[in-house]
Amino acid sequence: MEELADQFVFGKANVFGSASFYDFLQPENQGKKVYICNGSACLTAGTQPALREELLKKYKPEEIGEMCCFGKCYEAKGYLEMEENSSSPPRRTGGQAGIRDEGLGISKVQILTNEFTTIKEYYKLWEKVLKTSKEELLNELKVSGLRGRGGAGFPIATKLEGCLHAKGDIKFIVCNADEGDPGAFSDRYLLEERIHSVLLGMMIAGFITGASWGVVYIRGEYPRSIEICKNAIEELKQQQLIGENILGSGFNYQFKVITAQGAYICGEETALLSSIEGQRPEVRVRPPYPVQKGLFNKPTVVNNVETLACIPFIIEKGGAAFAKLGKGRSTGTKLVSLDSHFNKPGLYEVEMGTPLSTLVNEMAGGFRVPVKAMHIGGPLGGLVPVSKINDLTIDFESFAANGFLLGHASVVCIPEDFPLIKYLSHLFKFTAHESCGKCFPCRIGSTRGYEMLEKAQNEGYKIDPVLFNDLLETLEIGSLCALGGGLPLPVKNALQYFNQELSTYFKNA
Ligand SMILES: Cc1cc2nc3c(=O)[nH]c(=O)nc-3n(C[C@H](O)[C@H](O)[C@H](O)COP(=O)(O)O)c2cc1C
Ligand code: SF4
């Protein structure tokens, strides 16, 4: 750290502030040889205590650490083994490598899960793009109605247009591959099985905006994704599909892959940019937005893996072909990650607007065990009681209208016999661990909430509902970003739909 401080004239405190932020770099994680997943899907599956016993046959207790989600929620029992020297990047995840794809192909609509052909065949589209006008390409994206798949649902064409018109000697396309939501593994699927849709999507976005750099920010918990991405970029270089004056077009484009070091908040786009810059990844105040002042203060488009992976289809088949699919303002398809509680867990590509009941009961074959709720859209998504399955369709509007959030469309089930108070406590603990610390409703409030829920479970403490509601309200309206601001949603859903189960932990019940 001292060497880095000297080299970058950054100051020792700044280097320490950045390095100490990340899970992989924490002093208590030095010397760890394996990490057990403590994410939501493995927690509710109840697989981790037995997994720990199993790993203790091979590792000493002090060599075993914990980390959140390796994208293996479809089978639970998630863990990550490190190389001998634990400060090196992680090498392999436990269990099966890659994504179990039994769920694939069931859906009639395939945009993202279509069979990959060959580089030669696939990149014919790139040759065409380089001969097309930016305006024409942008127009196809406008017509497609493609909205961001990373959670907020913002139209991609608006971002690209903003960046195209922003002034800057250098511009960036950043792919947000930090997929931190426990329960989600759709980005991992795309990175490992359909990497060229992601890379070509970034290249087309670069061509439209005039950005000459594509930066792929991939979480360190996905070592295989990083390796596959780097190899694919190497292949593109060899085929001269990236680099200087690509295919004589005058357009330059190159990639940089960043291995993230373990911090959920780095999925938030401004924290992600600070992380790439080597700063402590705290969330930035917006405006200015990244398209105006992003990476190194240059115009930057940040998009989710899945959003970018939709671009080649839209440009090849036309925006209208994409817009024809879906429902209302939610066009196209959505990848949905189902956890191990389903009879057929795995990844599904469904047309937007597909009834949730079709996915759960027909495609996934129903639940393997009795389930009372599904946590959909990550830790900040809504807690959907099973009684609402018939009311929802898989699209942004239906979830919002029913008081939930589609988010990244990951589904973590809460079995009948799993105490909800324990699940809520897990959500507060997760937020407390992942809070960037910039604003105190989130930094302090998440810890106070966790303490209350733990005392209620273990010490017979009765939570004052007024105090608890004050805490939720402060988090909701006083937090700078959606980590602190979004935590109250699943908690409120739980209080609304499972009042009877939770009331014993509250005063005046
Ligand atoms: C706490 C937090 C975590 C987030 N994590 C991710 C993430 O892992 N991946 C992602 O694409 N977007 C994530 N986002 C959303 C990003 O800030 C941003 O909206 C997104 O990358 C934009 O891409 P899109 O328009 O393609 O969705 C997160 C947001 C918040 C507030
Ligand atoms: S809400 Fe939490 S994560 Fe977001 S800026 Fe505030 S402290 Fe950071």
Side-chain angles (χ1 to χ4, degrees):
M1 286 202 278
E2 281 181 17
E3 269 175 41
L4 283 170
D6 271 355
Q7 194 181 337
F8 291 95
V9 204
F10 213 49
K12 282 183 203 168
N14 282 341
V15 176
F16 181 78
S18 300
S20 59
F21 197 94
Y22 298 98
D23 287 343
F24 282 112
L25 306 179
Q26 295 291 333
E28 64 265 27
N29 280 337
Q30 299 314 303
K32 293 283 186 277
K33 292 192 174 162
V34 62
Y35 294 98
I36 293 179
C37 172
N38 60 11
S40 315
C42 283
L43 173 78
T44 61
T47 48
Q48 302 314 71
L51 173 67
R52 181 178 292 275
E53 289 307 312
E54 199 54 37
L55 290 172
L56 276 168
K57 291 180 191 157
K58 189 172 166 193
Y59 297 101
K60 297 186 195 123
E62 63 274 18
E63 291 172 342
I64 304 177
E66 279 192 8
M67 231 173 254
C68 189
C69 201
F70 306 115
K72 303 188 68 68
C73 325
Y74 47 92
E75 60 183 13
K77 298 190 230 60
Y79 68 98
L80 177 73
E81 281 182 312
M82 308 291 287
E83 268 188 307
E84 271 307 292
N85 169 7
S86 71
S87 61
S88 309
R91 266 297 160 89
R92 65 194 190 92
T93 44
Q96 255 174 284
I99 302 286
R100 183 165 144 173
D101 57 2
E102 280 155 33
L104 299 175
I106 288 179
S107 153
K108 289 184 195 75
V109 190
Q110 283 180 281
I111 288 179
L112 295 160
T113 54
N114 259 336
E115 202 67 35
F116 177 69
T117 48
T118 58
I119 293 210
K120 212 167 171 208
E121 189 62 33
Y122 195 68
Y123 283 85
K124 277 185 184 155
L125 180 63
W126 184 225
E127 290 173 35
K128 260 201 246 161
V129 164
L130 293 170
K131 291 178 194 144
T132 313
S133 78
K134 292 167 186 237
E135 290 70 25
E136 220 174 296
L137 297 167
L138 188 61
N139 191 49
E140 291 305 332
L141 288 171
K142 277 186 191 165
V143 171
S144 76
L146 173 61
R147 292 165 65 190
R149 303 312 200 216
F154 191 80
I156 188 172
T158 311
K159 268 190 206 177
L160 294 181
E161 194 164 30
C163 188
L164 165 66
H165 297 306
K167 289 207 170 17
D169 50 344
I170 181 166
K171 296 179 183 179
F172 297 99
I173 303 297
V174 175
C175 172
N176 186 346
D178 200 41
E179 190 166 62
D181 286 354
F185 46 89
S186 42
D187 289 350
R188 182 175 162 221
Y189 163 79
L190 290 170
L191 293 165
E192 295 180 10
E193 309 289 335
R194 297 292 182 275
I195 184 63
H196 287 291
S197 309
V198 184
L199 296 179
L200 183 54
M202 291 179 73
M203 289 154 69
I204 297 172
F207 183 73
I208 292 174
T209 54
S212 52
W213 276 96
V215 183
V216 198
Y217 185 94
I218 311 181
R219 65 199 304 254
E221 293 88 338
Y222 287 179
R224 189 165 175 261
S225 306
I226 294 165
E227 199 178 315
I228 288 173
C229 182
K230 283 185 174 166
N231 289 343
I233 290 169
E234 208 41 55
E235 242 176 316
L236 292 183
K237 256 190 225 163
Q238 278 165 19
Q239 306 277 331
Q240 298 180 345
L241 292 165
I242 52 172
E244 303 273 305
N245 186 22
I246 306 164
L247 307 175
S249 64
F251 180 64
N252 307 329
Y253 199 78
Q254 47 193 325
F255 282 104
K256 170 108 183 143
V257 178
I258 307 277
T259 302
Q261 292 298 319
Y264 177 70
I265 198 59
C266 288
E268 194 284 335
E269 59 182 10
T270 61
L272 185 152
L273 296 175
S274 291
S275 174
I276 299 174
E277 290 172 6
Q279 303 191 51
R280 188 174 169 84
E282 285 181 357
V283 172
R284 300 177 185 177
V285 176
R286 284 169 298 188
Y289 291 93
V291 286
Q292 303 158 306
K293 278 188 171 196
L295 189 57
F296 302 110
N297 277 336
K298 303 293 180 187
T300 303
V301 171
V302 184
N303 270 121
N304 170 253
V305 174
E306 188 175 333
T307 318
L308 291 160
C310 290
I311 295 179
F313 175 92
I314 293 168
I315 298 303
E316 189 178 8
K317 309 274 185 208
F322 189 87
K324 211 170 69 185
L325 300 166
K327 186 177 155 196
R329 289 187 54 239
S330 299
T331 54
T333 62
K334 181 79 199 79
L335 293 180
V336 185
S337 313
L338 299 187
D339 81 353
S340 67
H341 292 96
F342 291 90
N343 279 318
K344 287 190 254 167
L347 191 77
Y348 292 80
E349 179 171 15
V350 298
E351 184 173 353
M352 286 276 200
T354 300
L356 183 60
S357 57
T358 306
L359 174 72
V360 170
N361 299 324
E362 293 171 30
M363 292 173 156
F367 301 114
R368 197 171 45 78
V369 293
V371 162
K372 59 184 165 197
M374 292 179 289
H375 197 182
I376 303 185
L380 315 172
L383 209 63
V384 181
V386 286
S387 58
K388 295 285 276 182
I389 288 181
N390 291 328
D391 299 344
L392 291 164
T393 52
I394 300 167
D395 54 85
F396 296 113
E397 286 74 25
S398 168
F399 271 66
N402 282 280
F404 305 113
L405 197 86
L406 182 63
H408 209 36
S410 53
V411 184
V412 172
C413 294
I414 304 179
E416 285 279 6
D417 58 4
F418 193 95
L420 263 176
I421 186 100
K422 190 171 161 190
Y423 192 75
L424 297 185
S425 181
H426 158 76
L427 293 181
F428 273 94
K429 188 180 180 189
F430 174 82
T431 306
H433 180 73
E434 304 296 349
S435 168
C436 83
K438 180 140 175 165
C439 56
F440 53 76
C442 166
R443 185 180 71 224
I444 303 172
S446 52
T447 299
R448 292 289 96 88
Y450 173 63
E451 288 165 355
M452 273 193 235
L453 294 167
E454 283 297 296
K455 279 198 292 181
Q457 286 175 85
N458 304 320
E459 298 170 23
Y461 168 82
K462 298 280 178 196
I463 301 168
D464 177 347
V466 178
L467 182 68
F468 196 66
N469 280 331
D470 279 354
L471 175 66
L472 295 181
E473 192 183 6
T474 309
L475 276 163
E476 211 166 48
I477 61 180
S479 299
L480 176 61
C481 86
L483 181 52
L487 172 63
L489 176 67
V491 181
K492 283 181 167 177
N493 291 152
L495 291 169
Q496 180 185 350
Y497 295 109
F498 299 95
N499 188 269
Q500 215 180 345
E501 179 184 332
L502 292 168
S503 63
T504 55
Y505 300 100
F506 284 80
K507 267 186 201 164
N508 310 323

